[in-house]
Amino acid sequence: AALLRDYPNTKRVEIYHCGCDVSAAADDGSKFRKEYGVSDFVLCVGRLEWRKNQIMLLKALEESDLPIVFLTGGFTYQPQYEEVARRFKRKGRTHFIGKVSPEMLASAFAASRCHVLPSWYELPGLVNIEAARYGTNIVVTDYGTIRDYMGDDAFYCQPDEPTSIHDA
């Protein structure tokens, strides 16, 4: 609908169904908790970069005791951003974990309280869809197309408002 609205002279628009790699070996989160020794945490999956806005997530939970776990894939295009994120001081613990197996990712989703990705935009944010597929509560921004996928099945926040991210 957005494409047809914004580009009325477009001759053809087709729906592309995005998929995600969902592990059949999902557990109740015990594998992740045992391996990393963390439970009842906020999870954020994705490369550390300004577009994904993880530093604002850190700011939003600066005074919270809840641990934050960043599953970063072990790669960033913005090493300076990653360095700032890693140096951010907050009350609760912050864990940075690189690449994990699909089974461990599934276990992390199951072990987490919620998955938060306060991005400036996602198209649509496959990791959000994957988290939701595992039944994980998700917190996302309205920037991009994720609302088209999640509708009312997500908690929405404003990426430039730490209070909005915290409350969501």
Side-chain angles (χ1 to χ4, degrees):
L3 287 171
L4 292 173
R5 179 195 68 227
D6 295 345
Y7 302 97
N9 296 326
T10 300
K11 300 205 184 312
R12 189 171 115 190
V13 174
E14 293 183 34
I15 296 189
Y16 172 75
H17 295 277
C18 295
C20 60
D21 185 15
V22 177
S23 172
D27 70 358
D28 63 356
S30 57
K31 183 177 182 178
F32 187 85
R33 286 190 295 272
K34 181 179 178 185
E35 177 74 19
Y36 295 102
V38 62
S39 60
D40 193 31
F41 59 93
V42 172
L43 179 63
C44 182
V45 177
R47 287 185 313 273
L48 291 170
E49 59 186 38
W50 71 266
R51 181 176 63 86
K52 295 187 184 295
N53 203 26
Q54 293 101 332
I55 291 173
M56 191 64 80
L57 171 58
L58 289 164
K59 179 67 178 167
L61 298 179
E62 186 174 22
E63 297 302 320
S64 173
D65 288 325
L66 275 175
I68 300 175
V69 173
F70 290 105
L71 292 181
T72 68
F75 177 79
T76 183
Y77 291 107
Q78 298 172 336
Q80 291 170 327
Y81 187 89
E82 179 177 4
E83 183 179 334
V84 170
R86 286 180 179 273
R87 290 183 182 201
F88 193 97
K89 301 292 184 212
R90 50 182 300 274
K91 188 175 181 181
R93 292 192 62 205
T94 305
H95 305 265
F96 295 90
I97 301 170
K99 191 167 182 65
V100 298
S101 69
E103 293 78 24
M104 190 60 79
L105 177 60
S107 186
F109 283 131
S112 68
R113 178 180 280 202
C114 61
H115 179 263
V116 182
L117 191 58
S119 297
W120 290 106
Y121 65 92
E122 290 290 336
L123 304 171
L126 293 179
V127 70
N128 293 316
I129 294 170
E130 191 171 7
R133 172 61 181 86
Y134 284 113
T136 306
N137 288 317
I138 62 169
V139 175
V140 295
T141 63
D142 240 352
Y143 292 42
T145 60
I146 194 65
R147 191 177 284 274
D148 293 335
Y149 291 80
M150 294 292 113
D152 293 333
D153 293 326
F155 297 93
Y156 294 93
C157 65
Q158 295 301 308
D160 58 343
E161 296 178 22
T163 303
S164 174
I165 295 168
H166 177 275
D167 292 349

